[in-house]
Amino acid sequence: MLIALHTFTTASTAGRNMVAKVIDGHAVARQVRAECRELTKSLVERGVTPGLAVIIVGENAASRVYVANKVKACTEVGLKSTVYAFDADTPGATVEAAILRLNDDPEVHGILVQLPLPAHFDVRRVLGAISSDKDVDGFHLYNVGGLVVGDTVFPPCTPYGVQKMLEYENILVEGQNVVVVGASNIVGKPMALMLMQKDATVCICHAKTRDLAQFTILADILVVAAGKPNLILPQMVRTGAVVIDVGINRLPDGRLVGDVDFEGVRRKASYITPVPGGVGPMTVTMLVHNTVKAAQRHAALA
Ligand code: NAD
C-alpha cells in the first residue's frame, strides 16, 4: 500500500474564510542553522573550519549592519569569518587583487563582496574575480548560468531562503501559478528561475508592467520584491494565495515594512511572511548554508 509521506498545501485548498498563517522566518532560519551547525561540527572534526571572507568598501551604514549580521550568524554556527574593509576611494584593481589572494587561500571557502560598491567600481568585473567555487552569494556568471539550466552550485541567498520557507511549510510549487513582482538580478530573476525549475508557471512583473493587479490576482504564490511600501493591496491578491514579502522599506516614522499591506492581505491569503521577521533572517542563514556547502565541497576535493 502506498502512503503519502508529505501533505502539501496549495493556495486553492487553504485559506478560505481564515486569516493567513504567518510564516516565521526566524523559526525556519533556526532549523537551517541547526543543520549547518551539525555539518560544521563534522567538518571541524575532519580539520576543516568553514571560512567566509567578507569584503566591504566604503562607509555605507546599511552595508555595515548587514556585514555585522553576517559575521554574527557565522560565529553562531561555528564558521570563521574575516572582514576586509576598504576605503571608498580604493581602486577597483586593489579589491580585485585581494579577491585573487582569497581565491588561493585554502582556509577561505566563501567570498562575499557586500553590495553596493562605490560608483567607480565595475561590479560585474569584481564579482567575476571571485572563484566560482567560493561564490557563496551566487552572483558569479558561472553560477547564474547554472541557475538557468537548473544545476547551480550556490543559489542566491534571498530567493534560496524563500524556497526553504515554502519547503518548510510544505507549500506545493509544482503546477502553481507564481507571480514574482520585481526583476532584479539578486532577487526577482533568480527567484523566477528557481520556481520555474520546480515546475511552477511563472510570471515576472516589474516597474514597467501595465496594470500590475491583473497579474497578481492570478497568483497562487505571490513573491514581492520591489522595494515599494503598500504596493500590494488586498484587492490585488487571490483568496487563499501564499504571499511572500521580500521588500524592506524604512518609513519616515522609522518603522520597517515590506511591500505588502500586511494587515489587509493577511485576511485574504493562506500564508504570509511578515517584515521584519520573514525573509530577512533567511537571507543571512542561506549565506551560512552556502559557505558550509563550499567547505564540504572543498573537503571532498582535498
Ligand atoms: P531593485 O531595486 O534592484 O529591483 C526592484 C525591482 O522591482 C525592479 O525590477 C523594478 O522594476 C521592480 N519594481 C519597482 N517598482 C515597481 C512597481 N511599482 N511595480 C512592479 N515592480 C516594481 O531591488 P532588489 O535588490 O531586488 O530588492 C527589492 C526589495 O527587496 C527591496 O526592498 C530590498 O530592500 C529588499 N531585499 C530584501 C532582502 C531580504 O533579505 N529580505 C534581500 C534583498 C533585497
Side-chain angles (χ1 to χ4, degrees), residues 66 158 181-184 186-188 205-209 212 225-228 231 245-249 259 279-280 283:
Y66 293 141
T158 301
V181 179
S184 73
I186 64 167
V187 189
C205 301
H206 46 73
K208 300 281 170 70
T209 298
L212 184 62
K228 301 274 180 262
L231 179 64
D245 191 353
V246 182
I248 302 177
N249 307 288
D259 292 351
V279 177
T283 296

Side-chain angles (χ1 to χ4, degrees), residues 52-292:
L52 175 70
V54 182
I55 292 176
I56 178 166
V57 187
E59 298 298 327
N60 185 314
S63 291
R64 293 201 169 252
V65 172
Y66 293 141
V67 166
N69 286 341
K70 288 167 185 177
V71 168
K72 187 165 165 258
C74 285
T75 308
E76 273 173 28
V77 174
L79 278 64
K80 181 182 172 205
S81 60
T82 312
V83 178
Y84 297 84
F86 294 90
D87 293 334
D89 58 0
T90 305
T94 306
V95 173
E96 283 171 44
I99 291 172
L100 296 181
R101 279 195 299 278
L102 293 167
N103 283 345
D104 290 335
D105 185 339
E107 293 191 359
V108 172
H109 304 102
I111 303 171
L112 161 100
V113 176
Q114 184 64 44
L115 300 178
L117 288 169
H120 66 279
F121 276 83
D122 178 344
V123 179
R124 186 56 60 207
R125 196 183 148 113
V126 171
L127 296 179
I130 299 172
S131 159
S132 57
D133 287 330
K134 299 191 178 188
D135 174 39
V136 286
D137 248 348
F139 294 158
H140 187 288
L141 287 184
Y142 179 86
N143 282 312
V144 175
L147 202 59
V148 174
V149 296
D151 67 353
T152 191
V153 177
F154 301 114
C157 301
T158 301
Y160 197 10
V162 172
Q163 185 180 302
K164 284 278 175 198
M165 293 174 104
L166 295 172
E167 284 170 11
Y168 180 89
E169 295 291 350
N170 278 333
I171 291 167
L172 181 73
V173 170
E174 185 185 304
Q176 300 297 295
N177 287 348
V178 172
V179 177
V180 179
V181 179
S184 73
N185 290 337
I186 64 167
V187 189
K189 284 186 207 163
M191 183 81 262
L193 287 165
M194 289 164 81
L195 295 174
M196 206 193 310
Q197 185 63 27
K198 299 274 176 197
D199 293 327
T201 303
V202 179
C203 161
I204 309 179
C205 301
H206 46 73
K208 300 281 170 70
T209 298
R210 283 183 287 122
D211 188 4
L212 184 62
Q214 70 171 316
F215 297 99
T216 59
I217 199 74
L218 296 176
D220 300 312
I221 301 174
L222 178 62
V223 183
V224 191
K228 301 274 180 262
N230 278 325
L231 179 64
I232 303 298
L233 302 171
Q235 61 270 30
M236 300 166 73
V237 176
R238 191 158 98 71
T239 300
V242 174
V243 179
I244 307 290
D245 191 353
V246 182
I248 302 177
N249 307 288
R250 178 77 64 185
L251 296 182
D253 65 7
R255 275 185 304 139
L256 211 58
V257 297
D259 292 351
V260 175
D261 165 11
F262 181 81
E263 285 308 326
V265 170
R266 74 185 297 203
R267 288 173 212 295
K268 229 175 155 189
S270 56
Y271 290 85
I272 191 167
T273 61
V275 179
V279 177
M282 291 305 295
T283 296
V284 173
T285 299
M286 299 323 291
L287 172 70
V288 172
H289 174 97
N290 277 351
T291 306
V292 174

